[in-house]
Amino acid sequence: MSPVRRLPVEEPGDRTRLPLAGDTPVCHYFEAGRCRSCTLIETPAAQQLRDKEERCRALLPGVPEQAWLPTVPGGVRDFRNKAKLVVGGRPGRVTLGILGPDGAGVDLRDCLIQQPAIRAMIPDLARFIEQTGLPPYDVPKRRGELKFVHVTVSPSEELMLRFVVRSAQALEVLRDRLPQLRRAVPAATVVSVNLLPEHKAVLEGEREELLLGSSLAMDTGAGFALHLRPQSFFQTNTGVARALYAQAAEWIGFAGPDSLWDLYCGVGGFALHCAGSVRSVLGVEISEEAVRSARRSAREAGITARFEAGDATAFALGSEEIPEAVIVNPPRRGIGGELAGWLEEAHGIRHVVYSSCNPESLAVDLAAMPSLAVREARVFDMFPHTRHLEVAVLLERR
């Protein structure tokens, strides 16, 4: 077979840069010891990429050297489309950022890895929260109301705001104050409140109440938008996500299957980007919220693709049909032995695209599929300044 055409290397998050010293960004929060989330921020960006490449090569020794495509960098600043802000401080003087070692809030409203539209609105959001009178949740004392605000920004700079609160009383306060919030943050097109009454180390509860809008439209550069509902997942680096979807679409176009399954499809990103070259496309995702988002995106884009809610492994093992190609994008634990075994034994599947956020679990899963050889592989620096990454491989039946 002819080689797969290689995508150009882009720098999606590097349009505006921090002051650099050997490609090392300056973070005053890190220097002051107030936040250590970006553990690699003192390592030059180019060295971060080399280290991630070497880590993937070491964990995946069966991948031929010539199979590795150039890494897609994620930028040094302005790349995060999502902020998970812990609400701390006290009524009238809140902090928005993270929790410190003592359980007190640490204000990080000027964190420069966030996209500018997020940074610009945080002072207005903080003033709105202070005006509501809702007390921030005090973790050590286990009292208070407002726990988090999750903020997501689209490429068009529209915002989705999700308030995580302890009680229905806080929900009603925010519902009553919605007109004030819309004046304070006019870019907010989706607003919801999530109830998390328990004292536990999680970011949200099960109950979600929409106050404004229904979904945020994420333009991925492919001529259509992916719709995100409040509890839907989307990659945190829009530029790198675009490159990842484009790479998968190119690999599937090269493989030329008649039928494609996108397992762990989320809001349908891979399925919808690949649908143009495949007759039959099916996405499977356990989150009904994400499936609703995927169906809306397909409908509005005029793309013929089906989406079903269900467990990916159970669906595959219980199906009488076998597609010619499969895309898997599992959580950090990987696809597991059952699904890997099914892919290994389903000889009608000629190609698999595996996108992984954990090269360790990817290595385990690849070892369970010896009949599928890695034809090409690529690292995507979805999470600059950390050890986390995304790595995708194109597998071909031997």
Side-chain angles (χ1 to χ4, degrees):
M1 289 188 177
S2 59
V4 182
R5 182 178 63 83
R6 298 192 173 191
L7 288 171
V9 179
E10 301 176 354
E11 299 196 4
D14 228 10
R15 294 182 297 276
T16 308
R17 299 169 66 86
L18 283 167
L20 301 183
D23 219 20
T24 303
V26 176
C27 175
H28 301 298
Y29 293 127
F30 190 91
E31 291 181 341
R34 296 175 64 188
C35 176
R36 294 282 169 162
S37 299
C38 295
T39 55
L40 303 180
I41 201 164
E42 294 183 316
T43 303
Q47 184 61 51
Q48 291 184 38
L49 295 183
R50 285 193 294 270
D51 291 345
K52 290 179 180 183
E53 292 167 352
E54 291 175 4
R55 177 181 166 213
C56 287
R57 283 167 167 77
L59 288 167
L60 306 171
V63 179
E65 182 60 32
Q66 67 273 16
W68 288 101
L69 304 183
T71 294
V72 175
V76 296
R77 65 169 285 172
D78 298 339
F79 52 81
R80 280 192 64 95
N81 59 33
K82 185 183 301 181
K84 298 176 181 179
L85 303 171
V86 175
V87 184
R90 60 181 186 274
R93 193 168 183 177
V94 303
T95 62
L96 292 172
I98 61 173
L99 284 181
D102 58 354
V106 177
D107 197 88
L108 300 178
R109 64 184 66 190
D110 294 321
C111 174
L112 294 179
I113 67 171
Q114 311 292 358
Q115 289 190 9
I118 294 178
R119 291 201 303 275
M121 59 74 64
I122 289 179
D124 297 322
L125 176 64
R127 281 191 291 272
F128 165 77
I129 291 172
E130 290 167 354
Q131 291 166 4
T132 67
L134 288 173
Y137 187 72
D138 188 314
V139 174
K141 296 180 180 179
R142 301 191 176 195
R143 68 187 185 198
E145 285 291 343
L146 192 51
K147 296 184 175 184
F148 306 97
V149 183
H150 302 322
V151 184
T152 305
V153 63
S154 73
S156 60
E157 298 192 346
E158 293 182 333
L159 296 166
M160 177 161 60
L161 304 180
R162 301 179 62 214
F163 295 87
V164 181
V165 303
R166 187 180 63 83
S167 73
Q169 178 183 357
L171 163 62
E172 294 309 316
V173 169
L174 291 169
R175 194 192 304 276
D176 291 342
R177 296 275 189 149
L178 181 60
Q180 181 182 340
L181 174 61
R182 296 186 70 180
R183 290 191 296 270
V185 188
T189 58
V190 182
V191 178
S192 68
V193 178
N194 181 278
L195 270 72
L196 178 61
E198 302 88 356
H199 178 86
K200 58 170 65 173
V202 295
L203 293 174
E204 62 183 48
E206 294 183 2
R207 180 183 171 190
E208 190 94 17
E209 295 283 339
L210 271 167
L211 303 187
L212 175 67
S214 61
S215 65
L216 189 69
M218 301 293 286
D219 179 4
T220 60
F224 60 88
L226 295 177
H227 285 277
L228 305 185
R229 295 173 66 86
Q231 291 182 296
S232 299
F233 168 79
F234 187 75
Q235 299 283 5
T236 60
N237 191 319
T238 304
V240 178
R242 286 176 170 177
L244 178 61
Y245 289 142
Q247 183 66 77
E250 186 165 286
W251 279 339
I252 292 298
F254 157 78
D258 187 62
S259 54
L260 170 69
W261 286 1
D262 180 5
L263 303 180
Y264 307 95
C265 72
V267 295
F270 285 112
L272 295 173
H273 282 80
C274 295
S277 61
V278 184
R279 181 188 62 83
S280 173
V281 176
L282 170 64
V284 180
E285 166 60 42
I286 199 166
S287 167
E288 294 184 2
E289 183 96 337
V291 168
R292 285 195 290 270
S293 297
R295 288 171 176 168
R296 177 179 177 182
S297 299
R299 183 172 62 251
E300 291 189 0
I303 295 174
T304 301
R306 295 186 298 123
F307 295 94
E308 296 187 11
D311 177 78
T313 299
F315 178 87
L317 271 61
S319 177
E320 295 181 358
E321 299 179 11
I322 298 293
E324 293 182 6
V326 172
I327 297 174
V328 291
N329 182 30
R332 287 189 60 81
R333 66 178 182 272
I335 63 175
E338 283 190 297
L339 186 53
W342 177 80
L343 290 169
E344 169 68 14
E345 296 299 327
H347 297 291
I349 299 172
R350 303 304 306 167
H351 292 89
V352 175
V353 173
Y354 191 138
S355 180
S356 170
C357 62
N358 184 0
E360 282 86 357
S361 61
L362 173 61
V364 173
D365 290 336
L366 291 183
M369 299 183 290
S371 295
L372 292 162
V374 176
R375 183 176 179 86
E376 287 196 338
R378 196 169 201 179
V379 175
F380 296 81
D381 191 21
M382 194 73 71
F383 315 98
H385 311 317
T386 75
R387 283 179 50 81
H388 299 293
L389 57 89
E390 194 83 13
V391 57
V393 296
L394 170 63
L395 305 175
E396 186 174 71
R397 184 78 58 182
R398 298 182 192 271

